[in-house]
Amino acid sequence: HFGRPRQVDHLRSGASRVLVASRNFANDATFEIKKCDLHRLEEGPPVTTVLTREDGLKYYRMMQTVRRMELKADQLYKQKIIRGFCHLCDGQEACCVGLEAGINPTDHLITAYRAHGFTFTRGLSVREILAELTGRKGGCAKGKGGSMHMYAKNFYGGNGIVGAQVPLGAGIALACKYNGKDEVCLTLYGDGAANQGQIFEAYNMAALWKLPCIFICENNRYGMGTSVERAAASTDYYKRGDFIPGLRVDGMDILCVREATRFAAAYCRSGKGPILMELQTYRYHGHSMSDPGVSYRTREEIQEVRSKSDPIMLLKDRMVNSNLASVEELKEIDVEVRKEIEDAAQFATADPEPPLEELGYHIYSSDPPFEVRGANQWIKFKSVS
C-alpha cells in the first residue's frame, strides 16, 4: 500500500471530524550524507543515498520505539519496579537501527551493557525486554539476565565486563570464517572501553587471521563521567586500530550509519579482514540510573544536542521535506508506539517472577538434570537444561 494515496481521518476538538485531503507520497528520495573520515582507505561509503518511503517509515517506527521504551524503563526504575543496573541508550537510536539496516539477520552482533536498543533491533519484542528488566518469567532471559544480559538469535548479548565482549566478537568472527559462511560479526564497545588492552589483542588476532569482524566504537563522548579528552591520549578512535582500516561516522544520522555499515560489511565479506568504525553519538541520560548525568556536562550541552542533532528529528524532517511522509502520519505512528510500550509495561509489571526452585535451571544447554548446592550444604536446587 506504500505510495498509494490514503485518507487520514482526524479527530479535532471533540466530535468534529476533519478529513485531511489524501496525498500522493513519493516512493523514494535521494539524500546527501556527511562524508566519513577515513583511515588507511582509498575510498569510503557513498555521500548520497536513496531512502524508500517504506524503509523510512520502518526506521522511524523502530527509533521511536527504542526511545519510548528507554523512557518507560526510566519511569519504571524511578518507581523501583526495575532494580539494579540499568543503562539507557536514548539519543543513540540511529546507531542500533542504522547498524541493523546495513546487515543481514544472519550476521552477528555483540555489544556492551547499553544493550536494550540492540536487543530490540535484533528482533525481540518490547514486552520481552521490559519483562526482563523487571525480572519476570516472560522476559527474554526468563527474568534471570536483567538489563545487561539479554540475548536473541545471532545476538550475543549485553556484556557486563568493560571491553570483554570485544575478544568474544573476534571469536564469533573466527567461527564465521571457520564455518565458511558469508557472515560478519559486529563487535561494539564504547569510548570508555577503547583504552582496554584486550581490545588491542583482539585487533591483532583479527588482522592476522583476516577475520570478518567490524569493530565498532560507539563514542558518546563520556565514559561514565569522564570526557573522552580526559581519558584518551588520542580521541581518533577510528585510527586506533593502527594497521586496521577505519571510518569515522556521524552516529546521529541513521542514513550515514546504514551506508557506512553496508560499506564495512562488504569490505569484510570480500575477505580483506577486519575494519573499524567509530560512531560519533550522544546519550541523553546519565551513564546509568545512578548518574544524574549533569555533574560533568552542562544541561545546555545536552539541550543543544537534542535540538540540533536528534536522530529521530533528523529523519522526520528529511521525510516530511521530501514528501516521503506527512507530519500527521508520523504522529499516528507515535500514538501506536506509545500504546505498544504502555501494553508492554503493563505486562512487565503484572507478569509473575520466576519461582525460587528454578534458580539452578539452565546452567547447561543439554545435560541430564543434576543438583546444585544452595547457600549452605543442606539447601539443594535442581538444575534442568
Side-chain angles (χ1 to χ4, degrees):
H1 67 279
F2 287 105
R4 236 185 285 141
R6 54 192 280 269
Q7 291 190 318
V8 187
D9 221 5
H10 269 300
L11 275 172
R12 293 229 180 95
S13 62
S16 70
R17 280 165 171 257
V18 181
L19 202 64
V20 176
S22 60
R23 276 175 59 175
N24 276 312
F25 290 113
N27 281 325
D28 57 50
T30 304
F31 298 101
E32 286 186 11
I33 50 177
K34 192 177 162 195
K35 189 177 186 297
C36 294
D37 296 321
L38 308 178
H39 170 65
R40 281 186 178 259
L41 287 166
E42 292 296 309
E43 56 186 297
V47 289
T48 61
T49 183
V50 174
L51 176 66
T52 64
R53 171 173 151 80
E54 191 175 352
D55 280 347
L57 290 170
K58 184 172 89 177
Y59 302 158
Y60 181 81
R61 182 181 292 269
M62 286 181 88
M63 290 206 288
Q64 198 62 273
T65 303
V66 173
R67 172 72 52 93
R68 293 272 145 215
M69 176 173 77
E70 294 296 59
L71 295 176
K72 180 53 77 177
D74 173 80
Q75 199 183 340
L76 292 171
Y77 198 95
K78 285 168 179 162
Q79 292 168 354
K80 292 194 161 64
I81 295 168
I82 295 173
R83 313 297 287 258
F85 289 105
C86 185
H87 306 84
L88 303 179
C89 70
D90 49 324
Q92 301 183 192
E93 294 87 355
C95 297
C96 55
V97 180
L99 288 168
E100 191 61 46
I103 57 170
N104 305 321
T106 48
D107 289 319
H108 309 265
L109 192 145
I110 186 167
T111 186
Y113 42 77
R114 201 175 301 281
H116 308 162
F118 291 103
T119 311
F120 174 72
T121 56
R122 286 264 80 182
L124 290 187
S125 68
V126 178
R127 263 175 98 102
E128 291 171 287
I129 296 169
L130 286 181
E132 189 54 47
L133 288 171
T134 56
R136 309 303 168 98
K137 256 178 150 165
C140 56
K142 295 184 166 44
K144 295 178 166 189
S147 171
M148 306 195 287
H149 304 288
M150 304 188 198
Y151 309 89
K153 187 160 174 55
N154 298 329
F155 174 58
Y156 304 79
N159 290 268
I161 308 289
V162 174
Q165 70 280 5
V166 179
L168 298 182
I172 296 162
L174 175 62
C176 293
K177 185 169 183 171
Y178 184 84
N179 292 328
K181 292 186 172 167
D182 198 20
E183 295 165 0
V184 299
C185 180
L186 275 57
T187 302
L188 288 108
Y189 55 97
D191 53 280
N195 303 309
Q196 287 263 329
Q198 55 188 337
I199 288 180
F200 296 91
E201 294 177 50
Y203 286 169
N204 188 52
M205 292 162 97
L208 280 174
W209 298 339
K210 288 198 163 34
L211 302 182
C213 187
I214 308 176
F215 292 105
I216 302 167
C217 177
E218 276 187 301
N219 175 7
N220 61 18
R221 312 214 311 235
Y222 298 92
M224 296 188 71
T226 309
S227 69
V228 288
E229 295 80 17
R230 290 173 55 217
S234 163
T235 55
D236 289 336
Y237 295 103
Y238 72 110
K239 290 183 180 174
R240 289 178 57 176
D242 184 21
F243 39 78
I244 300 174
L247 306 163
R248 182 158 58 192
V249 185
D250 179 357
M252 300 302 265
D253 177 355
I254 184 164
L255 299 182
C256 252
V257 177
R258 182 186 74 176
E259 291 311 310
T261 308
R262 284 176 177 167
F263 173 87
Y267 179 94
C268 285
R269 288 189 223 280
S270 71
K272 292 178 187 165
I275 191 168
L276 239 74
M277 262 168 73
E278 175 189 343
L279 303 179
Q280 293 188 304
T281 183
Y282 199 82
R283 58 171 158 80
Y284 296 156
H285 262 89
H287 167 73
S288 68
M289 293 303 294
S290 57
D291 166 26
V294 288
S295 59
Y296 50 87
R297 55 181 192 178
T298 62
R299 287 177 201 275
E300 291 74 44
E301 178 184 302
I302 304 166
Q303 212 35 59
E304 187 178 14
V305 178
R306 267 187 197 276
S307 60
K308 289 185 181 164
S309 5
D310 184 77
I312 299 175
M313 181 190 75
L314 291 176
L315 179 67
K316 180 182 179 176
D317 291 351
R318 270 182 173 154
M319 290 180 71
V320 172
N321 296 340
S322 305
N323 195 30
L324 287 176
S326 66
V327 175
E328 293 77 21
E329 182 180 23
L330 296 176
K331 277 196 181 133
E332 272 178 45
I333 292 177
D334 295 350
V335 172
E336 287 165 21
V337 166
R338 279 189 187 184
K339 185 179 179 333
E340 184 195 349
I341 304 292
E342 233 17 88
D343 293 349
Q346 288 285 253
F347 172 74
T349 46
D351 196 46
E353 293 186 351
L356 184 62
E357 54 267 23
E358 285 185 20
L359 187 65
Y361 281 26
H362 312 117
I363 293 174
Y364 294 105
S365 65
S366 52
D367 259 32
F370 62 96
E371 285 196 326
V372 181
R373 202 186 106 163
N376 67 42
Q377 64 205 52
W378 299 283
I379 300 175
K380 294 227 172 10
F381 292 104
K382 195 170 182 183
S383 183
V384 181
S385 293

